[in-house]
Amino acid sequence: MSDSLLPYAVGAAKRARRAAVRMRRRVEQMHTVPAIDGVKPRPLLQAVHFSVSGGRTLNFAVAFPRRAEAISAAHLEFSRGRRVVHVDLEQEPQSDGTLLLTATSPLRHDDPSETAVRGPLLSTGTWRMEVVVTGSDGRELRAKISAAPSASSDSLDGPTLSTSPSPTSGAIFRPVRSVDGRSMLSVRGPRHHAELTSFELRWDRVVVHGRLIAGRAPVSEYTAEAVLRRSSKSVTAPVEWDGDRFTFDVPLAAMSVGRTTRTWDMHLKTGGTRLKITRRLTDVRYPKQVYRTPFRIVALDNGSLARVHAYVTPAGVFAVSCTGFGTAPRGAEEVA
């Protein structure tokens, strides 16, 4: 390397190190909440594993130094303000004579859509956690829980997300740690959006099925729209509702005018609010690689043909690209 370029290389290395430090601190801040003062010190147990998989399934394990004979019952306690909920812990004896206390349980958000779902009911906020053990003599022991080991870098770039919304409510249950290293659970309520549940590629239409999450108006006030990308042009479509679930046919005839390929994003609209129809209630990290769909030649009601590709973008947005051409052979509509 030329001597004249050496100062630039040294400066670039210093800037890269500073950027790496800032990124590491940012990641730590995202998973850290303030410590809660004024609580009487209690014994501390080491969390072996603490995660929420599939958006709503609690997976928890903590090491307990005593033998199984000394314990009659154990549960995991979540508390926030005056609210307290319990999850039973299973006792798994280990080869060294100690115990592993484990729990696998669905989690529910304090939301009307969750009434038919099992599991502890948690409202939005940060929940403290304790292990409560009842000994064979009837005495109760309460212990705080130290934070579980951080996820490895491999798991942060795997096929599934470490944190994803609940597929039933849209709420997010996220394990966090306090600044003093204690395990806690952060709960965030569902956001207003239109969830794509499925779509059908037929020979004469594309049918969209979805669900309105955290609606802010009566469902009758929502309309479906196809919005031309990088344009203000839109085409509406009638919607059928069953509770908070909707169905509509993509208005392909109005979207496939001319031989130019156009890409349209699907929306639900109410008042001045447009909601892109997206696939968010999933733990899939790369939706476009998973939800792969073919191109299809569709015979439209007006007798013309269109080359249609309905797909999910890398950001999870449901989009349709279409190109109009020619007319359908006589009888094609009846065959379709």
Side-chain angles (χ1 to χ4, degrees):
M1 179 182 293
S2 172
D3 292 342
S4 62
L5 296 178
L6 184 59
Y8 297 98
V10 172
K14 290 181 178 179
R15 289 192 294 272
R17 284 196 295 270
R18 288 196 294 267
V21 170
R22 288 196 299 270
M23 181 60 69
R24 185 175 66 252
R25 289 176 178 172
R26 176 57 180 160
V27 171
E28 291 175 351
Q29 290 172 357
M30 290 173 61
H31 296 277
T32 304
V33 296
I36 300 176
D37 297 324
V39 179
K40 182 180 178 180
R42 287 178 178 162
L44 184 66
L45 298 179
Q46 175 62 52
V48 177
H49 181 81
F50 178 28
S51 67
V52 177
S53 59
R56 61 183 295 268
T57 302
L58 169 70
N59 304 289
F60 179 81
V62 64
F64 193 76
R66 299 188 185 181
R67 296 179 178 271
E69 294 80 4
I71 296 178
S72 61
H75 66 262
L76 179 63
E77 182 177 284
F78 293 93
S79 63
R80 178 174 178 268
R82 296 183 178 181
R83 290 195 58 183
V84 177
V85 296
H86 296 165
V87 175
D88 291 336
L89 290 169
E90 299 289 336
Q91 303 177 33
E92 299 184 9
Q94 304 298 295
S95 59
D96 61 356
T98 61
L99 277 177
L100 192 65
L101 302 179
T102 65
T104 300
S105 172
L107 300 175
R108 296 186 295 161
H109 185 255
D110 192 359
D111 185 90
S113 64
E114 295 278 79
T115 54
V117 182
R118 298 184 302 110
L121 195 65
L122 303 173
S123 57
T124 298
T126 302
W127 291 75
R128 293 176 291 179
M129 298 170 57
E130 288 185 336
V131 169
V132 183
V133 175
T134 303
S136 56
D137 57 1
R139 289 189 298 178
E140 186 177 88
L141 170 68
R142 290 179 169 269
K144 295 290 186 182
I145 308 161
S146 64
S150 301
S152 65
S153 58
D154 293 339
S155 64
L156 297 177
D157 194 34
T160 57
L161 298 167
S162 57
T163 301
S164 60
S166 165
T168 56
S169 68
I172 292 180
F173 303 94
R174 184 166 60 92
V176 295
R177 65 177 65 197
S178 64
V179 292
D180 55 351
R182 303 296 184 261
S183 290
M184 306 179 79
L185 183 68
S186 173
V187 181
R188 192 187 75 190
R191 294 183 174 179
H192 185 210
H193 86 275
E195 173 71 8
L196 174 71
T197 56
S198 65
F199 60 92
E200 303 173 53
L201 295 175
R202 301 182 183 178
W203 295 110
D204 62 341
R205 73 192 71 180
V206 175
V207 184
V208 179
H209 303 277
R211 179 180 166 213
L212 179 65
I213 305 296
R216 298 178 181 175
V219 294
S220 58
E221 297 183 13
Y222 287 83
T223 58
E225 281 190 336
V227 179
L228 183 61
R229 193 168 292 178
R230 293 182 291 274
S231 169
S232 60
K233 183 178 180 180
S234 63
V235 181
T236 60
V239 184
E240 295 181 4
W241 289 93
D242 181 10
D244 62 353
R245 299 184 178 273
F246 60 85
T247 301
F248 66 90
D249 292 346
V250 176
L252 293 175
M255 295 162 53
S256 306
V257 178
R259 295 178 177 270
T260 301
T261 300
R262 296 180 174 89
T263 301
W264 305 72
D265 294 321
M266 300 296 113
H267 294 70
L268 280 188
K269 181 180 179 181
T270 177
T273 302
R274 271 181 176 161
L275 302 174
K276 286 186 177 181
I277 298 177
T278 58
R279 191 68 181 264
R280 291 183 181 174
L281 306 190
T282 176
D283 61 355
V284 174
R285 187 181 297 274
Y286 306 110
K288 188 176 181 180
Q289 297 180 15
V290 175
Y291 308 120
R292 302 176 70 89
T293 54
F295 288 79
R296 176 66 56 85
I297 302 299
V298 176
L300 304 177
D301 291 340
N302 59 11
S304 64
L305 298 174
R307 185 173 185 266
V308 175
H309 185 209
Y311 63 98
V312 177
T313 71
V317 178
F318 179 61
V320 177
S321 65
C322 48
T323 309
F325 65 94
T327 57
R330 180 172 297 179
E333 294 84 352
E334 287 76 4
V335 174

